[in-house]
Amino acid sequence: MRKILVVLLLTISAGFTTSSAQKLPPQKETLDVVMKVNKYFMEKYADYRTPSFVRNVTRPSNIWTRGVYYEGLMALYSIYPRAEFYDYAYNWAEYHEWGMRNGNTTRNADDYCCGQTYIDLYNICPKPEMLKNIKSNMNMLVNTPQVGDWTWVDAIQMGMPVLAKMGHLTGEQKYFDKMWDMYEFSRNQLAGKGMFNLADGLWWRDADFLPPYKEPNGEDCYWSRGNGWAYAALVRVLDEIPANEKHRQDYINDFLIMSKALKKCQRTDGFWNVSLHDAGNYGGKETTGTALFVYGMAWGVRNELLDKEEYLPVLLKGWNAMVKEAVHPNGFLGYVQGTGKEPKDGQPVTYESVPDFEDYGVGCFLLAGTEVYKLQ
């Protein structure tokens, strides 16, 4: 009888494992939805030179919002290398002369976010002019003593991967060292406290949100997309730095701490709220934070940093929710919070609402989709 019970339990366990594996969507299905969302964007913004005109301000198309889109496009290109994707990115970069908005000597991570794509393009087909400006700018950061530039959590995703990619490309440790010094300041020292709250495993958006600032329910304010930026930055850095880089384990530790915290915050429908610890403060489905969390968790599972049995259901629930409830038949992406820095900004967030900038939402979704694709 005992032997029968053991066999039965093993059979049930195997059934659960098989069932879990079957929940992964077929690669073609994942690719199709990613392609649909990207096609919508590329057709709507066919002229990559067109600047953004929002709130009576004209912004060039190498702004950070577009830089994030191209991060996603290059990820898509890595699994489905169509010439039109490469050309769209290359022509955009060449139009901007491989430079940054507001000049080629800048400490603002939003300005040099575009450098992530410049380096990716260089790695595919290297030409000296592609790296001239971004390498010069990174050398300026390395050769000056300031480390306190990343005073808002978004900057960690905009800036860190550029230094990581430059270090990978050149093999020079100085880029990794500067990246750590800047990250460590933002994490631990900014405003005397740092933006990363180890107790909750989440990031405050900037010094304005450090305690005693509270959400309406009395909790600390942890903005979904802000934490998504930090989470994605860790993934993109870990993808670039060598296995023996002296701070690799520090980045891994933060990634694992965040993963555990984010898992606890997921909504029952698979999305994450704009406010991670106060569902009543502009609560509701939100795509950009959800996409970035799915991106990070899928990468973590694929690279065996996250337990597959524990995190695969979480990330698939998030992915399936976005596919079924955020993606319109024509590829438009719903539930994207507009720009801002906290839950109340960029509202309303609905299935139909068009955010002030569409590009970064698409970029986040493409990053998530390509990692889900790679899981098989």
Side-chain angles (χ1 to χ4, degrees):
M1 182 68 181
R2 186 173 181 179
K3 287 183 179 179
I4 294 173
L5 181 60
V6 170
V7 171
L8 180 61
L9 289 172
L10 288 173
T11 303
I12 292 172
S13 175
F16 281 140
T17 302
T18 303
S19 174
S20 175
Q22 287 176 346
K23 292 178 183 177
L24 259 176
Q27 282 189 316
K28 183 180 183 304
E29 181 181 307
T30 301
L31 182 61
D32 284 348
V33 73
V34 170
M35 291 282 287
K36 179 167 69 171
V37 171
N38 186 62
K39 182 174 184 288
Y40 166 85
F41 182 86
M42 284 184 63
E43 289 181 350
K44 183 171 181 178
Y45 298 92
D47 188 349
Y48 49 80
R49 302 168 300 176
T50 304
S52 300
F53 186 72
V54 178
R55 295 188 293 273
N56 298 318
V57 177
T58 300
R59 299 170 178 83
S61 66
N62 58 350
I63 189 176
W64 68 269
T65 63
R66 195 62 55 89
V68 172
Y69 163 72
Y70 281 106
E71 291 176 44
L73 182 63
M74 296 309 294
L76 174 56
Y77 182 82
S78 74
I79 63 169
Y80 197 62
R82 291 179 61 165
E84 64 184 285
F85 300 159
Y86 177 86
D87 292 344
Y88 190 63
Y90 181 90
N91 292 337
W92 163 78
E94 189 172 54
Y95 169 72
H96 290 290
E97 298 180 336
W98 306 91
M100 290 146 278
R101 67 167 187 155
N102 301 321
N104 293 325
T105 303
T106 176
R107 306 196 71 92
N108 186 333
D110 284 352
D111 289 348
Y112 56 80
C113 173
C114 56
Q116 297 187 47
T117 298
Y118 297 167
I119 296 170
D120 286 348
L121 290 166
Y122 177 89
N123 286 332
I124 296 169
C125 186
K127 298 177 185 177
E129 64 270 19
M130 300 162 78
L131 280 189
K132 178 185 174 184
N133 294 322
I134 192 62
K135 186 174 184 180
S136 174
N137 201 103
M138 293 304 100
N139 286 341
M140 180 272 291
L141 295 181
V142 167
N143 295 325
T144 51
Q146 297 96 315
V147 295
D149 295 340
W150 299 337
T151 59
W152 68 110
V153 72
D154 316 38
I156 292 173
Q157 196 284 143
M158 308 306 158
M160 275 184 77
V162 185
L163 286 161
K165 287 174 180 288
M166 190 61 70
H168 185 163
L169 176 65
T170 64
E172 296 183 71
Q173 181 66 31
K174 64 182 183 180
Y175 297 107
F176 299 144
D177 289 344
K178 189 68 177 187
M179 176 178 68
W180 170 257
D181 290 344
M182 296 176 75
Y183 176 75
E184 193 276 334
F185 180 89
S186 300
R187 183 190 190 279
N188 301 328
Q189 301 179 53
L190 181 73
K193 190 176 182 72
M195 289 192 290
F196 189 45
N197 183 5
L198 273 171
D200 286 335
L202 298 169
W203 292 71
W204 293 295
R205 198 272 178 179
D206 57 45
D208 291 342
F209 296 92
L210 270 60
Y213 185 96
K214 294 293 182 183
E215 289 276 64
N217 70 349
E219 291 276 352
D220 286 358
C221 181
Y222 299 117
W223 179 42
S224 180
R225 187 164 66 239
N227 277 274
W229 292 138
Y231 199 51
L234 291 168
V235 165
R236 296 177 72 73
V237 166
L238 288 167
D239 245 353
E240 299 290 341
I241 61 177
N244 63 350
E245 207 286 321
K246 57 188 174 183
H247 290 294
R248 183 176 182 85
Q249 191 58 50
D250 295 310
Y251 296 127
I252 289 174
N253 291 343
D254 285 355
F255 174 76
L256 295 177
I257 291 168
M258 286 195 73
S259 297
K260 184 177 180 180
L262 292 168
K263 179 175 175 283
K264 294 177 182 177
C265 298
Q266 189 178 32
R267 293 161 50 100
T268 57
D269 62 12
F271 282 89
W272 276 262
N273 290 306
V274 292
S275 179
L276 295 176
H277 276 196
D278 188 349
N281 188 24
Y282 295 93
K285 304 166 187 175
E286 202 285 312
T287 298
T288 60
T290 300
L292 292 168
F293 302 147
V294 169
Y295 168 56
M297 289 181 187
W299 182 91
V301 167
R302 184 169 65 84
N303 286 276
E304 300 183 346
L305 289 178
L306 297 179
D307 180 72
K308 184 176 181 180
E309 290 300 313
E310 181 178 358
Y311 283 93
L312 185 62
V314 178
L315 73 92
L316 286 179
K317 192 174 182 180
W319 175 250
N320 290 332
M322 290 189 292
V323 170
K324 293 175 182 176
E325 300 181 46
V327 179
H328 286 230
N330 68 348
F332 171 73
L333 201 58
Y335 297 110
V336 171
Q337 184 185 17
T339 54
K341 67 175 191 175
E342 59 180 308
K344 72 177 179 61
D345 294 336
Q347 296 288 340
V349 179
T350 68
Y351 179 71
E352 299 288 350
S353 58
V354 180
D356 48 4
F357 295 88
E358 292 186 68
D359 37 17
Y360 62 84
V362 175
C364 294
F365 187 82
L366 299 186
L367 288 171
T370 53
E371 277 301 323
V372 171
Y373 178 94
K374 291 176 184 178
L375 284 173
Q376 290 188 341

